[in-house]
Amino acid sequence: MAQKKYLQAKLTQFLREDRIQLWKPPYTDENKEAGLALKPLAKKYSDKLECCENEVEKVIEEIRCKAVERGTGNEHYKATGIATIEIFLPARFKKDRKSSLETRLHILGRELRSKIAETFGFQENYIKIVINKKQLQLGKTLEEQGVTHNVKAMVLELKQSAEDVRESSQVEEEEQNEARLKEKRIQRTKRGLEILAERAAEMVVDPETTPYLDIANQTGMSIRIPPSERKALMLAMGYHEKGRAFLKRKEYGIALPFLLDADKYFCECGRELLDTVDNYAVLQLDVVWCYFRLEQLECLDDAEKKLSLAQTCFKNCYGENHQRLVHIKGNCGKEKVLFLRLYLLQGIRNYHSGHAKEACDYLNKARQLFKELYIDPSKVHSLMQLGFTAQEARLGLRACDGNADHAAAHITSRREELAQIQREEKEKRRRRLENISHLRGMGYSARAARQALHQAAGSLEEALKILLSNPQLWWLSDPDPEASSHQESPSQENIDQLVYMGFDAVAAEAALRVFRGNLQLAAQTLALNGGGLPPGLRLPVGKSSSSSTPATSPSDSAGTSSASTDEDMETEAVNEILEDIPEHEEDYLDSTLEDEEIIIAEYLSYVENTKAAAEN
């Protein structure tokens, strides 16, 4: 397949250089069949490429038929408005993976999915369509999503067809259930990430005490994120981590939608942030790698741009010759894995584009890095005998150029560094939780306490000043319905004290209910609001003390079940997200490189064969 793509690329290059239009005479006759001049042209190019004439003629004919088909489609589109979409099907279709489908562009994405499923024998709910590096949105028209005539659409299948694997009705049912569970899992994860990002952006989730998703520099220390970019970055990282988890399990069809969503949200972050960390560069590699493993690089028009972007970003993060990385970490062994994949993909991309020399250069770079990263199994075993894990052994040996003694010291040092960071973060969270508890004991809600502490950079004294000078923070209620449902009836003594201060008895009782009997907060709020509660804190009429909640609670309109559902969704989503996310970046960079070794050898053999044919 790769050799055929190389031949197609070279022949297309020759045709452009010679300005030959295959869809016109003398290469195509009036019946749109192959003209007499096609065979001499194939002979000319086969001699030039030192290649089999029949094979060259066959590929040229494929190029000619494609050109004729495109020309016919263009005329048909101009006359009728019916567009042609190139369909790229999953690997199980083998030789028939490329097809086309005619459609009008005003239809919904859901209708296009139905057409594709019906035409090619898919089960509609178990496929995803990717067009222009974005998932097809079912509820929008094709025009609204930028779909045009001759666009490429890639079909991702969550399960194989029943015809391919059906052995019994039980097997088919199990497969459908599995695909259904995968789709639910994807949607649950996406919804969960949105909940987490929304709450982080609104400071409902405290990033200091609930570090579900974090971004760190090369040393593992957290980086402060501008509030305006926090939501987009959390979503980008969340989608990327889930995509990487599926990549690791080689479930490329499920991984790609997550990676494309991550790319979309990363693009909403500032360039300065993207240049600070290597996450965005790694994502570009992951996207291109995913298309390659799906054998659909042809659908990724900007693969070269993505690889170039990754290389530039690595240079900005690590320095020209990794000197910044060596200065920070003392080595660059683990990150060499990223460069190996970068060079490998650049080699593959160049080979598919007909650039054999450039492909050979990049592939040889990848092979050299592979030799440097190769780990002697006996050294891994010896380090494991010392109590280190296989993963630690591989990473340590790579960081220390294969020296087992240095690797043991490096692993021990790295363990201590990570333990120290964890202790510091744990202590930081402990102090913050104590401060939140202290403020809650004074009558403030946990949400108000978190927000004040965040504004005060963790200082309890400054947080108190903020709360006292910003009375609107007093009115922030907890999103947890249970936190506001256990409200005791205010004592008559406290009501009388507020009445003695000059407040109305009804208003006094309502204020004490809202602030769970806190006399000071009730008095301050009533005084600041002319003797009454602001609209957002007024209790619904007729509610008893045991079940009433402030009107600002998100559960008022639908009862507590709505908020409870959201809380359950967050918990479930967080568990879903964290289930496959590596504890540290080393998990991702730890690779046996078995796939890379095979692919490097395979493509180098293609290049050598091409060079040998040219020399002969």
Side-chain angles (χ1 to χ4, degrees):
M1 178 62 74
Q3 292 169 304
K4 183 178 179 181
K5 287 181 179 178
Y6 173 81
L7 182 57
Q8 287 175 332
K10 292 300 292 184
L11 290 172
T12 301
Q13 179 185 331
F14 292 160
L15 291 168
R16 286 174 180 167
E17 290 173 354
D18 295 342
R19 297 184 179 180
I20 291 176
Q21 298 175 321
L22 290 177
W23 61 94
K24 293 182 178 180
Y27 307 103
T28 299
D29 61 25
E30 66 253 9
N31 297 320
K32 297 185 178 179
E33 298 293 333
L36 297 176
L38 200 66
K39 196 168 186 65
L41 184 66
K43 177 70 169 64
K44 172 186 173 183
Y45 288 155
S46 64
D47 291 343
K48 191 172 182 179
L49 289 169
E50 297 290 341
C51 190
C52 172
E53 182 180 341
N54 289 337
E55 185 65 25
V56 170
E57 185 177 357
K58 182 179 177 182
V59 174
I60 290 179
E61 173 61 9
E62 288 180 6
I63 296 173
R64 188 196 69 82
C65 289
K66 184 67 179 176
V68 171
E69 182 183 339
R70 181 176 286 261
T72 303
N74 291 341
E75 293 173 2
H76 185 59
Y77 176 63
K78 290 177 182 177
T80 65
I82 298 176
T84 299
I85 295 179
E86 290 187 70
I87 308 295
F88 290 76
L89 300 167
R92 67 180 179 85
F93 284 81
K94 298 177 182 177
K95 293 183 179 180
D96 299 321
R97 294 188 65 181
K98 288 175 65 174
S99 188
S100 62
L101 189 72
E102 292 187 342
T103 181
R104 294 192 179 275
L105 299 178
H106 60 72
I107 67 170
L108 294 175
R110 183 176 291 103
E111 295 175 76
L112 177 61
R113 186 182 70 169
S114 297
K115 275 189 175 184
I116 291 174
E118 182 180 355
T119 304
F120 300 104
F122 295 109
Q123 296 191 42
E124 183 177 342
N125 293 329
Y126 304 139
I127 59 171
K128 290 184 178 295
I129 316 297
V130 176
I131 299 178
N132 295 329
K133 301 180 292 298
K134 296 177 182 177
Q135 283 191 72
L136 183 69
Q137 298 182 49
L138 303 182
K140 290 186 177 181
T141 67
L142 303 186
E143 285 178 325
E144 290 173 332
Q145 299 180 66
V147 178
T148 57
H149 175 58
N150 285 332
V151 77
K152 296 174 181 177
M154 181 169 66
V155 181
L156 301 176
E157 193 174 22
L158 296 181
K159 66 179 288 296
Q160 290 187 339
S161 71
E163 289 75 12
D164 267 356
V165 294
R166 184 186 303 170
E167 293 180 359
S168 65
S169 59
Q170 182 180 359
V171 172
E172 183 181 6
E173 184 178 353
E174 287 175 357
E175 287 177 349
Q176 291 181 5
N177 288 338
E178 181 183 355
R180 193 177 298 112
L181 287 172
K182 284 182 179 179
E183 176 62 19
K184 285 183 178 178
R185 186 178 180 186
I186 290 171
Q187 296 306 322
R188 183 169 63 246
T189 301
K190 289 187 174 185
R191 176 59 185 145
L193 283 168
E194 289 169 2
I195 289 174
L196 287 175
E198 288 284 357
R199 294 185 177 184
E202 297 170 4
M203 298 310 300
V204 179
V205 173
D206 185 2
E208 301 292 346
T209 60
T210 317
Y212 295 127
L213 296 172
D214 192 17
I215 189 166
N217 60 20
Q218 276 73 32
T219 65
M221 298 299 293
S222 296
I223 294 174
R224 287 287 177 181
I225 305 164
S228 59
E229 299 177 13
R230 182 178 290 112
K231 178 183 176 182
L233 190 59
M234 285 191 71
L235 285 169
M237 291 183 64
Y239 283 127
H240 190 193
E241 294 290 2
K242 288 302 294 184
R244 279 162 43 163
F246 286 116
L247 272 183
K248 202 168 186 178
R249 297 200 291 268
K250 300 185 179 182
E251 297 185 61
Y252 304 109
I254 300 177
L256 184 58
F258 282 113
L259 298 177
L260 294 177
D261 282 339
D263 195 35
K264 177 180 70 174
Y265 286 110
F266 265 125
C267 290
E268 295 179 14
C269 300
R271 172 52 55 185
E272 183 179 356
L273 178 61
L274 297 182
D275 287 341
T276 305
V277 292
D278 59 8
N279 299 62
Y280 189 53
V282 174
L283 174 64
Q284 304 311 304
L285 288 187
D286 288 341
V287 170
V288 180
W289 181 256
C290 207
Y291 272 93
F292 168 66
R293 298 302 282 171
L294 288 167
E295 300 178 21
Q296 299 287 20
L297 264 182
E298 191 176 348
C299 291
L300 189 61
D301 297 330
D302 63 345
E304 186 175 354
K305 178 182 175 183
K306 285 186 175 296
L307 295 176
S308 176
L309 180 62
Q311 188 164 15
T312 302
C313 189
F314 285 145
K315 179 181 175 181
N316 293 336
C317 290
Y318 302 154
E320 184 69 39
N321 297 306
H322 305 172
Q323 70 268 21
R324 188 177 303 155
L325 192 64
V326 173
H327 176 71
I328 293 172
K329 287 189 170 183
N331 67 82
C332 59
K334 296 188 295 293
E335 281 70 15
K336 284 183 179 179
V337 176
L338 298 174
F339 284 91
L340 185 152
R341 182 165 288 186
L342 172 64
Y343 295 147
L344 174 56
L345 288 171
Q346 286 175 321
I348 292 169
R349 178 75 182 86
N350 275 282
Y351 184 74
H352 286 185
S353 300
H355 305 137
K357 183 181 181 304
E358 292 83 352
C360 186
D361 291 341
Y362 281 118
L363 290 169
N364 279 323
K365 281 185 178 182
R367 181 167 60 179
Q368 181 59 37
L369 276 179
F370 174 79
K371 291 178 180 177
E372 294 175 17
L373 291 166
Y374 173 75
I375 302 298
D376 185 345
S378 65
K379 293 181 179 180
V380 174
H381 180 71
S382 66
L383 287 171
M384 290 177 66
Q385 294 293 97
L386 297 176
F388 302 122
T389 66
Q391 181 189 74
E392 285 177 321
R394 283 193 296 269
L395 291 168
L397 287 166
R398 280 178 181 155
C400 299
D401 297 322
N403 187 304
D405 293 334
H406 292 173
H410 172 81
I411 297 168
T412 302
S413 174
R414 182 59 177 158
R415 278 184 173 184
E416 292 172 356
E417 289 175 10
L418 292 174
Q420 180 61 26
I421 291 173
Q422 289 171 352
R423 284 194 296 270
E424 291 174 358
E425 292 294 327
K426 185 177 180 179
E427 176 61 20
K428 186 178 179 181
R429 288 194 291 271
R430 186 191 64 77
R431 288 197 304 268
R432 195 170 182 85
L433 287 170
E434 284 184 355
N435 290 340
I436 290 173
S437 180
H438 184 81
L439 291 173
R440 292 192 69 181
M442 298 176 64
Y444 296 103
S445 69
R447 184 179 176 188
R450 284 195 298 266
Q451 185 158 331
L453 283 167
H454 182 74
Q455 293 179 19
S459 169
L460 179 60
E461 184 179 348
E462 290 299 318
L464 277 170
K465 291 180 181 179
I466 290 171
L467 287 168
L468 290 172
S469 59
N470 295 274
Q472 68 271 16
L473 291 178
W474 303 339
W475 309 331
L476 286 175
S477 61
D478 290 324
D480 182 4
E482 292 188 7
S484 55
S485 63
H486 300 296
Q487 301 173 18
E488 300 177 358
S489 298
S491 68
Q492 188 61 45
E493 181 183 355
N494 284 346
I495 295 174
D496 291 342
Q497 285 192 49
L498 289 175
V499 171
Y500 181 76
M501 294 178 192
F503 299 118
D504 178 74
V506 175
E509 182 178 358
L512 288 167
R513 287 187 189 281
V514 167
F515 292 108
R516 297 187 287 279
N518 188 299
L519 184 63
Q520 181 184 1
L521 292 182
Q524 289 174 326
T525 302
L526 290 172
L528 286 168
N529 290 276
L533 288 172
L537 287 181
R538 291 174 188 166
L539 296 173
V541 178
K543 288 286 184 182
S544 66
S545 61
S546 63
S547 61
S548 59
T549 59
T552 53
S553 169
S555 61
D556 281 346
S557 62
T560 60
S561 62
S562 174
S564 179
T565 300
D566 274 353
E567 293 295 325
D568 292 342
M569 170 66 80
E570 179 181 332
T571 302
E572 186 178 9
V574 170
N575 291 336
E576 189 76 36
I577 293 162
L578 296 179
E579 178 183 328
D580 298 313
I581 293 178
E583 184 178 358
H584 303 296
E585 66 171 359
E586 285 87 342
D587 287 332
Y588 180 61
L589 297 177
D590 168 42
S591 171
T592 58
L593 302 179
E594 292 175 356
D595 289 346
E596 285 84 348
E597 179 183 16
I598 294 170
I599 296 168
I600 289 171
E602 180 184 1
Y603 272 84
L604 277 173
S605 70
Y606 295 155
V607 172
E608 292 301 325
N609 290 339
T610 301
K611 289 168 64 177
E615 289 170 0
N616 292 332

